[in-house]
């Protein structure tokens, strides 16, 4: 069975500093990996995905993620965080049957 | 496209009442998912459909919950009878079959905030 783990409930970072949100996965076969962001009282919005190809994936709002097959990780990164990046971030994996499984979410708090 | 449309946005009901949540997926999408989000349990997958057929309903909490997808453009999630512990935000999401560029993404509706008193 597939699973996704986000080990941190919350990440605190000062504005302008680099931001990293961790994600590890377990899935049989080739993984389809995603990051979503949720702002208060909103649905989840797509940030980026890894399907195949380059291990470094670039997405919306300056975010990127690095796929590491040996460590089964897909960490989300942003070189310089903004206060407006404060939100709830979800990592997700999609299996070959089409099922999306989400992690528990990581609350990002960016302080001015 | 208007995106995934859920109704109602907010529902307040009393314990024991029947609640029906509705979802219209994006046209052309053949996967539909129902998720529930709470502070305690995070985002839980309740059930998902492919081509209107339920594929995995192992996340449905109990027999009080049922979901249907009578056609490609409409799905319902029903709770009967409702209980206070069902209070949560319920999201519907849709997607295409993996394999085409940009088709793997999951698109979410705005959710239904359910409060059972």
């Amino acid at each position: 069975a597939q699973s996704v783990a986000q080990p941190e409930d919350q990440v605190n970072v000062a504005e302008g500093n680099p931001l990293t949100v961790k994600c590890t996965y377990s899935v049989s076969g080739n993984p389809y990996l995603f990051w979503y962001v949720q702002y208060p009282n909103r649905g989840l919005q797509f940030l980026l995905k890894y399907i195949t190809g380059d291990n470094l994936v670039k997405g919306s709002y300056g975010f990127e993620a690095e796929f590491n097959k040996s460590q089964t990780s897909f960490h989300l990164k942003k070189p310089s965080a903004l206060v407006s990046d404060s939100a709830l971030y979800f990592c997700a994996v999609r299996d070959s049957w089409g099922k999306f499984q989400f992690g528990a979410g990581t609350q990002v708090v960016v302080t001015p | 496209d208007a995106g995934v449309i859920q109704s109602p946005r907010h529902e307040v009901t009393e314990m024991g009442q029947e609640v029906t949540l509705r979802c219209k997926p994006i046209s052309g999408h053949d996967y539909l998912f129902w998720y529930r989000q709470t502070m305690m349990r995070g985002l839980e997958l309740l059930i998902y459909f492919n081509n209107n057929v339920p594929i995995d309903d192992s996340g449905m909490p109990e027999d009080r919950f049922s979901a249907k997808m009578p056609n490609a453009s409409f799905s319902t999630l029903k709770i009967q009878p409702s209980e206070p512990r069902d209070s949560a935000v319920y999201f519907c999401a849709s997607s295409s079959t993996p394999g085409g560029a940009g088709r793997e993404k999951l698109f979410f509706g705005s959710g239904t905030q359910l409060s059972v008193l």
Side-chain angles (χ1 to χ4, degrees):
Chain A
Q2 63 183 13
S3 65
V4 177
Q6 294 181 242
E8 302 153 316
D9 292 336
Q10 183 165 313
V11 169
N12 298 299
V13 63
E15 188 174 32
N17 284 357
L19 169 64
T20 298
V21 186
K22 296 179 181 177
C23 172
T24 59
Y25 67 90
S26 172
V27 64
S28 55
N30 293 323
Y32 288 179
L33 297 164
F34 301 81
W35 276 102
Y36 283 79
V37 60
Q38 184 181 30
Y39 297 100
N41 302 314
R42 304 286 296 276
L44 278 69
Q45 300 174 30
F46 170 81
L47 272 180
L48 51 79
K49 66 180 179 184
Y50 172 83
I51 305 300
T52 185
D54 195 349
N55 290 343
L56 184 63
V57 179
K58 294 190 182 297
S60 307
Y61 312 121
F63 283 94
E64 58 189 27
E66 185 169 9
F67 171 67
N68 188 316
K69 188 173 183 178
S70 63
Q71 297 185 8
T72 61
S73 67
F74 189 56
H75 301 332
L76 180 71
K77 299 181 180 182
K78 186 170 184 179
S80 179
L82 301 172
V83 172
S84 57
D85 293 328
S86 298
L88 187 57
Y89 290 80
F90 290 93
C91 182
V93 61
R94 188 175 196 185
D95 67 15
S96 57
W97 295 97
K99 179 179 180 178
F100 277 87
Q101 192 74 37
F102 284 81
T106 298
Q107 183 70 49
V108 169
V109 178
V110 182
T111 52
Chain B
D1 198 316
V4 177
I5 299 173
Q6 291 186 246
S7 64
R9 287 297 307 275
H10 302 276
E11 177 79 33
V12 180
T13 190
E14 293 186 348
M15 183 174 61
Q17 296 297 306
E18 177 180 295
V19 175
T20 300
L21 311 181
R22 298 173 176 81
C23 176
K24 176 178 169 55
I26 291 174
S27 177
H29 282 186
D30 50 2
Y31 282 85
L32 185 139
F33 300 76
W34 283 100
Y35 289 90
R36 177 173 69 176
Q37 187 176 31
T38 62
M39 290 292 292
M40 291 297 294
R41 293 186 297 271
L43 193 64
E44 302 172 275
L45 175 62
L46 300 178
I47 184 172
Y48 79 101
F49 297 82
N50 179 216
N51 292 321
N52 313 334
V53 176
I55 303 301
D56 185 349
D57 65 354
S58 59
M60 296 286 263
E62 48 198 275
D63 292 345
R64 297 186 296 106
F65 285 70
S66 62
K68 294 181 179 179
M69 193 165 185
N71 57 62
S73 59
F74 184 65
S75 177
T76 59
L77 178 67
K78 185 176 292 186
I79 308 172
Q80 168 63 21
S82 59
E83 297 182 2
R85 58 193 170 119
D86 301 330
S87 298
V89 180
Y90 291 81
F91 287 105
C92 176
S94 71
S95 175
S96 295
T97 299
R103 297 177 66 190
E104 303 87 354
K105 293 189 300 183
L106 191 60
F107 293 82
F108 279 80
S110 298
T112 295
Q113 175 74 60
L114 174 64
S115 297
V116 183
L117 306 178

